[in-house]
């Protein structure tokens, strides 16, 4: 009887508090700088991989549909790396997201963390240790390495494939921080993050950013350790605006923010500065706002957001769990 080479895994997406924007090595996704994130409890990708010696090519199903475009190619190229190290057979891959596609939530982060874990688990030879799993996730999409661990995570950028790994800073129960994703647009990005990393790497502001980033990194880690929301919020907002400035002033320019994003930022700052509501924001490579507050203020923040953006979908995340292997197979 032949062994079934099949396994399933789930992983949460993550939101960067200190951003990865700009790579030093494009083949291995080695970033210009270290970054820090929170794992997002409500943005989960589940993936099943089945290695099959009968297959003549990979079969990739995303959200229940077979894909033959760029997305499928990217999955196959990733499987090629695993094949280089392990077997030469092809695979059937099925993957679903708990969150709607195109919401600006980094599905490549949860996607490659779940794919890497499922693909290696399916080989049936035991999983590599957690640190090696972060390397495998990062080889698919840089930010995916931070989706292997639970809670609050640091990606030590390193300078090559061996040294570029992520590690947990604090578990989910360390701090009841919330991240409301305010979904303002579902339109695809005009400039992909891969292209954005290239533009950023040659941006003249990047040298100045790198100079002060080590100090900001230390301050963010300190604020996380001390559960100091006001300090963390101010640092994270500043970081988000700095990265947006680099994005929009690059060559070519990546203007991810929309009018509605800016309108909500003004509203949020007025809730904080005029009404005393302890709320801050961050942004990713897209128009959707990530609104940060402590759990004790989550209801008040939700009400504000619902009133200010009644048509926007809200996704309320807590610090999420680690990526796991399980038996809820999609194939
Ligand atoms: O992992 P990538 O190549 O999709 O890059 C993602 C970069 C940002 O999401 C914009 C920031 C980050 O650190 O996650």
């Amino acid at each position: 009887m032949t062994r079934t080479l099949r396994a399933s895994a789930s992983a949460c997406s993550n939101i960067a508090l200190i951003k990865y924007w700009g790579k030093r090595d494009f083949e291995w996704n080695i970033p210009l700088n270290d970054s820090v994130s929170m794992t997002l409890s409500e943005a989960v990708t589940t993936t099943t991989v089945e290695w099959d010696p009968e297959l003549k090519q990979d079969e990739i199903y995303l959200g229940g549909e077979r894909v033959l475009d760029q997305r499928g190619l990217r999955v196959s190229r990733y499987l090629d790396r695993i094949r280089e190290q392990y077997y030469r057979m092809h695979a059937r891959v099925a993957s679903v997201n708990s969150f709607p596609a195109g919401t600006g939530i980094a599905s490549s982060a949860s996607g490659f963390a779940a794919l890497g874990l499922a693909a290696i688990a399916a080989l049936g030879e035991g999983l590599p240790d957690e640190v090696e799993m972060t390397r495998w996730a990062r080889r698919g999409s840089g930010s995916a390495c931070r989706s292997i661990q639970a809670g609050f995570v640091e990606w030590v950028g390193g300078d090559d494939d061996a040294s570029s790994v992520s590690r947990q800073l604090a578990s989910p129960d360390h701090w009841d921080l919330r991240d409301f994703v305010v979904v303002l647009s579902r339109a695809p990005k005009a400039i992909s993050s891969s292209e954005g990393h290239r533009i950023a790497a040659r941006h003249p502001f990047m040298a100045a950013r790198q100079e002060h980033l080590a100090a900001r990194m230390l301050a963010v880690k300190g604020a996380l350790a001390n559960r100091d929301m006001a300090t963390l919020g101010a640092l994270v907002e500043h970081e988000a605006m700095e990265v947006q400035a680099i994005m929009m002033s690059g060559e070519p320019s990546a203007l991810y923010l929309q009018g509605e994003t800016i309108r909500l930022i003004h509203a949020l700052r007025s809730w904080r500065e005029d009404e005393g509501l302890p709320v801050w924001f961050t942004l990713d490579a897209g128009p959707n706002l990530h609104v940060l507050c402590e759990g004790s203020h989550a209801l008040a923040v939700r009400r504000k957001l619902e009133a200010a953006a009644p048509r926007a979908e809200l996704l309320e995340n807590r610090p999420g769990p680690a990526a796991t292997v399980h038996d809820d197979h999609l194939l």
Side-chain angles (χ1 to χ4, degrees):
M1 203 178 82
T2 49
R3 219 158 32 108
T4 312
L5 296 176
R6 181 184 63 170
S8 297
S10 292
C12 299
S13 187
N14 67 77
I15 180 68
L17 305 174
I18 297 279
K19 309 286 176 189
Y20 151 52
W21 198 243
K23 302 185 198 192
R24 69 174 76 236
D25 179 328
F26 288 81
E27 190 187 346
W28 296 100
N29 293 334
I30 310 303
L32 287 176
N33 54 265
D34 300 351
S35 52
V36 169
S37 61
M38 176 175 122
T39 305
L40 298 178
S41 63
E42 304 309 307
V44 185
T45 300
T46 297
T47 301
T48 299
V49 175
E50 186 173 27
W51 299 101
D52 183 346
E54 306 284 307
L55 283 180
K56 299 278 175 286
Q57 57 178 357
D58 296 324
E59 276 178 26
I60 319 290
Y61 299 84
L62 301 181
E65 279 180 30
R66 175 111 190 245
V67 292
L68 297 159
D69 57 11
Q70 270 311 109
R71 294 168 302 162
L73 207 61
R74 193 167 168 199
V75 170
S76 273
R77 279 208 309 260
Y78 182 71
L79 295 177
D80 285 343
R81 292 196 169 199
I82 296 179
R83 281 188 275 262
E84 271 166 31
Q85 187 152 331
Y86 296 91
Y87 300 118
R88 302 241 159 235
M89 69 184 96
H90 289 97
R92 208 168 283 110
V93 175
S95 190
V96 292
N97 290 335
S98 71
F99 50 101
T103 49
I105 298 167
S107 59
S108 66
S110 50
F112 279 99
L115 176 64
L117 200 52
I120 293 172
L123 295 167
E125 297 187 355
L127 284 175
D129 64 22
E130 182 186 289
V131 170
E132 177 62 2
M133 263 329 301
T134 75
R135 288 190 192 98
W136 273 112
R138 187 246 307 139
R139 291 165 192 151
S141 179
S143 57
C145 65
R146 298 186 313 237
S147 281
I148 294 294
Q149 285 109 348
F152 302 91
V153 179
E154 175 180 22
W155 175 9
V156 179
D159 37 41
D160 56 15
D161 184 55
S163 56
S164 191
V165 296
S166 68
R167 64 185 191 99
Q168 187 183 55
L169 291 173
S171 64
D173 58 9
H174 168 69
W175 195 11
D176 183 12
L177 195 66
R178 304 285 168 94
D179 172 38
F180 286 91
V181 187
V182 187
V183 182
L184 297 173
S185 166
R186 291 169 185 281
K189 292 179 198 178
I191 293 191
S192 70
S193 57
S194 305
E195 181 59 15
H197 287 296
R198 283 186 194 279
I199 302 167
R202 58 177 187 252
H203 196 294
F205 295 176
M206 199 43 99
R209 169 166 165 76
Q210 296 306 318
E211 265 173 42
H212 62 239
L213 212 46
R216 186 180 294 155
M217 194 64 189
L218 270 182
V220 161
K221 287 200 276 184
L224 271 176
N226 297 326
R227 302 182 196 89
D228 178 346
M229 188 68 223
T231 302
L232 183 79
L235 289 162
V236 164
E237 251 187 52
H238 189 187
E239 164 71 3
M241 290 307 230
E242 181 175 291
V243 173
Q244 290 297 323
I246 289 174
M247 290 166 169
M248 68 179 83
S249 58
E251 188 69 66
S253 159
L255 181 55
Y256 294 117
L257 307 186
Q258 291 183 355
E260 187 65 357
T261 321
I262 303 283
R263 189 184 68 79
L264 268 186
I265 290 174
H266 283 294
L268 181 148
R269 285 187 167 171
S270 155
W271 304 335
R272 185 172 74 228
E273 286 157 19
D274 304 329
E275 301 172 30
L277 187 64
V279 62
W280 285 265
F281 70 87
T282 186
L283 294 154
D284 226 326
N288 300 328
L289 205 60
H290 285 252
V291 175
L292 301 167
C293 67
E294 291 186 279
S296 51
H297 297 283
L299 195 58
V301 168
R302 172 179 281 281
R303 290 204 174 116
K304 284 287 194 193
L305 290 170
E306 282 170 352
R311 282 190 303 277
E313 192 180 327
L314 292 180
L315 193 70
E316 183 177 349
N317 294 280
R318 294 165 189 254
T324 51
V325 176
H326 55 72
D327 288 332
D328 294 330
H329 303 302
L330 300 172
L331 290 167

